[in-house]
């Protein structure tokens, strides 16, 4: 029976969700059960892939019940999310697991916006704003699961029946009496007391309470996200933004670009020429490279943001296009300068996860900047979707590359010897992705392990084996399994 109520909001999708509460409540309940089943007392492994499959399946069912055909771009978001779930099963890197989960949340966020929003939009800032506002829209809808549940229960035939009402009232009144009677009977008879104690311990056990809490949170969260996404539903194209006079950005960008030209000249003279001009005596090239690297990263991001703002908020003008083009060139020089600085620094101090992440960021930065300058000359260029596509492709590739394994290979190939601090870094800072490389290296270079370090190394191998034995089917991780198998082979030798 549908709920005959005046709609709280004039939104066709919200009305459909409200009027078909049992269906969407079931989807939300399945989400909560899957959340508890996959992650309660389990680490990241195949469970994340299974959970992603469940989420994508539920989203497809949600769209079907809302009579919304799934768009091509939405399929891309679904496939990309599944790939990140698969990647999480293949790696044991905690950093990658965290980034993969963030990536999956953003992709599924975008899939909802793509389904509920207009088909074509070229306003980068509006699309970015919608993406960032969806979590807040979902939080604002957190009261909807309670209100819709209450409305649905209140209008059911069972609740309307006087007999059912009387039964519920009687049961409610019996609860305090039952507690007193059971307590007295438990005290009167030891066997009865043990049975009731066992039942009470089971019902109120931490496991039951925790699982129930996770399912409830999952139910509320899923229903709120569906309603929050439905709030973003728009019929037809939105009105184009009124753009302002470009005089202010032309002046501002000209002054900033003039500073960039001076800075980029210094980069060419001192950094790229590698010694043609003499650095201050207190600096080596590696130290010089490290000194301004992060500042350059921030400036490149600021530049891209300024260019997007100029193209989104202000009218077209030849002078503005010319200034933004020059700014693009200087920003590319900064990107190359930052990359070159990091290469110099890496060659001196070797590779880490963060340094690989920086190279990934610079690569994405390079292609995003190309999209930004294209959008300056072509207003119909889908900059937001382009940025999402570039970021997704490169990050998914990075996620499957097992960076900790690459770090171990690179560092072993570029280190003259491995001391105790290096060994600590390899065995404690890197994930199990790197374990086969580490074990094979020390297997071939046993002289690198001194007597006082060998016991720590054996403990490292035994710890890997123990971690694998602790894993169950839900959190099976292929990377940890391979590391454990390699460790077993080494110990048996």
């Amino acid at each position: 029976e549908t709920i005959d109520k005046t709609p709280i909001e004039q939104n066709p999708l919200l009305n459909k969700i409200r009027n078909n509460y049992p269906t969407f409540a079931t989807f939300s309940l399945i989400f909560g059960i899957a959340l508890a089943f996959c992650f309660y007392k389990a680490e990241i492994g195949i469970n994340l892939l299974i959970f992603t499959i469940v989420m994508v399946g539920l989203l497809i069912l949600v769209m079907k019940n809302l009579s919304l055909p799934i768009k091509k771009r939405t399929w891309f978001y679904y496939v990309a999310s599944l790939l990140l779930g698969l990647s999480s099963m293949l790696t044991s890197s905690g950093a990658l697991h965290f980034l993969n989960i963030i990536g999956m949340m953003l992709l599924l966020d975008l899939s909802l916006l793509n389904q509920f929003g207009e088909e074509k939009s070229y306003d980068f800032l509006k699309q970015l704003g919608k993406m960032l506002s969806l979590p807040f829209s979902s939080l604002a809808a957190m009261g909807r699961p309670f209100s819709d549940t209450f409305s649905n229960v209140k209008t059911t035939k069972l609740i309307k029946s006087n007999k059912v009402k009387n039964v519920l009232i009687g049961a409610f009144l019996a609860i305090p009496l039952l507690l007193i009677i059971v307590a007295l009977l438990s005290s009167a008879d030891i066997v009865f007391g043990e049975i009731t104690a066992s039942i009470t311990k089971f019902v109120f056990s931490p496991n039951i309470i925790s699982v129930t809490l996770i399912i409830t949170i999952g139910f509320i969260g899923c229903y709120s996200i569906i309603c929050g996404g439905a709030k973003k539903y728009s019929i037809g194209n939105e009105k184009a933004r009124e753009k302002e006079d470009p005089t202010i950005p032309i002046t501002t960008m000209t002054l900033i670009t003039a500073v960039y030209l001076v800075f980029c000249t210094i980069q060419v003279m001192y950094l790229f020429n590698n010694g043609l001009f003499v650095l201050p005596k207190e600096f080596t090239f590696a130290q010089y490279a490290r000194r301004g690297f992060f500042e350059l990263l921030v400036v490149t991001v600021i530049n891209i943001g300024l260019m997007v703002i100029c193209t989104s908020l202000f009218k077209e003008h030849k002078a503005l296009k010319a200034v933004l083009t020059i700014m693009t060139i200087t920003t590319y020089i900064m990107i190359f300068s930052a990359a070159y600085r990091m290469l110099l620094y890496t060659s001196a101090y070797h590779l880490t996860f963060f340094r690989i992440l920086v190279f990934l960021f610079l690569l994405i930065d390079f292609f995003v900047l190309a999209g930004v300058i294209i959008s300056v000359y072509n207003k119909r260029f889908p900059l937001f979707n382009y940025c999402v596509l570039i970021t997704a492709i490169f990050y998914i590739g990075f996620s499957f590359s097992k960076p900790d394994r690459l770090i171990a290979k690179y560092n072993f190939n570029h280190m003259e010897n491995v001391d105790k601090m290096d060994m600590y870094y390899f065995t404690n800072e890197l994930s199990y992705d790197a374990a086969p490389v580490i074990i094979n290296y020390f297997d071939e270079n046993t002289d690198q392990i001194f007597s006082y370090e060998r016991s720590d190394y054996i403990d490292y191998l035994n710890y890997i084996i123990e971690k694998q034995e602790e894993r169950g089917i839900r959190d099976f991780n292929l990377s940890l399994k391979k590391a454990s198998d390699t460790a077993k082979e080494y110990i048996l030798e």
Side-chain angles (χ1 to χ4, degrees):
E1 183 178 338
T2 58
I3 305 171
D4 186 17
K5 289 282 180 179
T6 303
I8 296 174
E9 298 183 42
Q10 297 300 322
N11 184 302
L13 291 188
L14 284 175
N15 293 337
K16 185 173 283 190
I17 292 170
R18 194 163 183 253
N19 292 329
N20 293 277
Y21 170 82
T23 300
F24 293 97
T26 301
F27 295 155
S28 301
L29 182 61
I30 292 171
F31 178 89
I33 293 171
L35 184 68
F37 173 78
C38 289
F39 298 112
Y40 180 64
K41 289 189 175 180
E43 298 185 57
I44 300 298
I46 196 173
N47 49 359
L48 186 57
L49 174 60
I50 293 171
F51 185 67
T52 309
I53 293 171
V54 171
M55 281 196 296
V56 170
L58 288 174
L59 284 172
I60 292 172
L61 291 174
V62 166
M63 298 309 155
K64 182 178 180 182
N65 280 271
L66 290 175
S67 302
L68 291 176
I70 297 178
K71 301 173 184 177
K72 291 180 180 179
R73 196 181 306 131
T74 302
W75 283 116
F76 169 77
Y77 296 141
Y78 290 164
V79 172
S81 299
L82 291 170
L83 287 174
L84 289 179
L86 175 62
S87 168
S88 298
M89 186 192 73
L90 301 178
T91 180
S92 57
S93 170
L96 279 183
H97 288 160
F98 174 76
L99 292 174
N100 287 352
I101 291 170
I102 297 297
M104 288 162 57
M105 290 171 63
L106 289 174
L107 287 167
L108 295 176
D109 179 329
L110 289 168
S111 75
L112 287 172
L113 291 176
N114 189 55
Q115 285 296 119
F116 295 139
E118 56 186 323
E119 181 64 31
K120 290 184 179 179
S121 177
Y122 302 106
D123 193 319
F124 182 93
L125 293 180
K126 278 187 178 179
Q127 289 181 289
L128 179 63
K130 286 182 178 180
M131 184 189 78
L132 297 177
S133 68
L134 181 58
F136 298 100
S137 179
S138 299
L139 284 173
M142 283 190 68
R144 187 60 68 88
F146 301 98
S147 62
D148 287 0
T149 301
F150 178 75
S151 298
N152 188 77
V153 170
K154 190 171 64 172
T155 54
T156 57
K157 291 180 180 180
L158 283 175
I159 297 300
K160 287 182 178 180
S161 169
N162 288 328
K163 288 184 179 180
V164 174
K165 285 182 181 179
N166 292 335
V167 169
L168 291 175
I169 292 171
F172 180 76
L173 294 174
I175 290 174
L177 292 173
L178 282 173
L179 291 175
I180 296 171
I181 292 170
V182 168
L184 291 172
L185 293 177
S186 298
S187 178
D189 186 86
I190 296 176
V191 176
F192 183 80
E194 289 181 352
I195 294 173
T196 54
S198 300
I199 294 173
T200 303
K201 187 177 180 181
F202 173 77
V203 172
F204 295 100
S205 69
N207 289 336
I208 296 294
I209 293 172
S210 298
V211 169
T212 304
L213 185 62
I214 293 171
I215 292 173
T216 304
I217 292 172
F219 172 85
I220 295 170
C222 182
Y223 197 89
S224 300
I225 290 169
I226 294 171
C227 293
K231 283 185 178 181
K232 300 293 181 182
Y233 181 67
S234 60
I235 304 174
N237 293 326
E238 297 179 357
K239 293 181 180 179
R241 188 197 301 271
E242 288 291 332
K243 297 194 175 183
E244 304 295 329
D245 183 83
T247 305
I248 293 175
I250 290 172
T251 305
T252 304
M253 294 301 162
T254 300
L255 293 173
I256 294 173
T257 303
V259 175
Y260 288 163
L261 287 171
V262 174
F263 179 84
C264 290
T265 301
I266 295 172
Q267 299 305 292
V268 174
M269 291 168 59
Y270 279 91
L271 191 65
F272 295 140
N273 281 290
N274 198 16
L276 181 61
F277 294 85
V278 180
L279 290 173
K281 291 182 180 179
E282 64 269 21
F283 288 111
T284 64
F285 272 101
Q287 291 170 332
Y288 176 69
R290 173 66 176 81
R291 188 174 180 85
F293 173 78
F294 295 105
E295 290 84 346
L296 278 175
L297 280 183
V298 174
V299 171
T300 58
V301 173
I302 290 173
N303 289 354
I304 291 173
L306 288 173
M307 294 174 69
V308 169
I309 290 171
C310 287
T311 54
S312 298
L313 302 182
F314 298 94
K315 295 177 182 178
E316 289 188 59
H317 195 281
K318 289 183 179 179
L320 182 59
K321 288 182 178 179
V323 172
L324 292 180
T325 302
I326 296 171
M327 178 179 276
T328 300
I329 295 170
T330 59
T331 305
Y332 269 123
I333 292 174
M334 292 180 192
I335 290 173
F336 285 122
S337 175
Y340 186 51
R341 287 167 184 262
M342 182 51 73
L343 285 172
L344 288 175
Y345 194 68
T346 300
S347 64
Y349 300 104
H350 306 302
L351 204 55
T352 64
F353 181 88
F354 180 73
R355 290 165 196 164
I356 293 182
L357 198 62
V358 165
F359 282 122
L360 172 69
F361 180 84
L362 288 171
L363 184 62
I364 293 173
D365 221 10
F366 179 91
F367 284 95
V368 167
L369 183 58
V372 172
I373 193 60
I374 290 172
S375 70
V376 170
Y377 290 92
N378 181 5
K379 296 301 178 183
R380 296 182 67 81
F381 181 73
L383 179 60
F384 183 82
N385 295 329
Y386 168 80
C387 291
V388 171
L389 177 66
I390 289 297
T391 304
I393 289 173
F394 281 113
Y395 177 73
I396 290 172
F398 170 74
S399 182
F400 276 95
S401 70
K402 295 188 177 180
D404 283 352
R405 187 183 181 92
L406 298 176
I407 291 166
K409 283 184 177 180
Y410 176 89
N411 289 355
F412 280 136
N413 290 334
H414 291 82
M415 284 180 170
E416 294 182 3
N417 55 69
V418 178
D419 58 26
K420 189 172 184 178
M421 289 299 296
D422 295 326
M423 187 172 172
Y424 177 86
Y425 173 76
F426 286 126
T427 57
N428 289 274
E429 299 297 325
L430 297 182
S431 68
Y432 304 124
D433 292 353
V437 177
I438 297 168
I439 295 169
N440 289 332
Y441 175 83
F442 286 120
D443 189 28
E444 296 172 1
N445 300 272
T446 53
D447 57 312
Q448 295 279 3
I449 308 177
F450 298 102
S451 58
Y452 62 88
E453 295 171 341
R454 186 169 184 81
S455 61
D456 292 336
Y457 180 61
I458 296 299
D459 288 342
Y460 167 70
L461 299 179
N462 286 325
Y463 182 75
I464 293 174
I465 296 169
E466 289 172 6
K467 290 294 290 182
Q468 168 58 24
E469 290 173 350
E470 291 172 1
R471 292 288 184 110
I473 297 175
R474 289 184 303 152
D475 51 1
F476 171 80
N477 186 283
L478 188 60
S479 174
L480 178 57
K481 179 66 168 58
K482 288 182 177 179
S484 176
D485 291 343
T486 308
K488 287 178 180 177
E489 289 177 8
Y490 182 87
I491 291 176
L492 289 174
E493 290 177 359

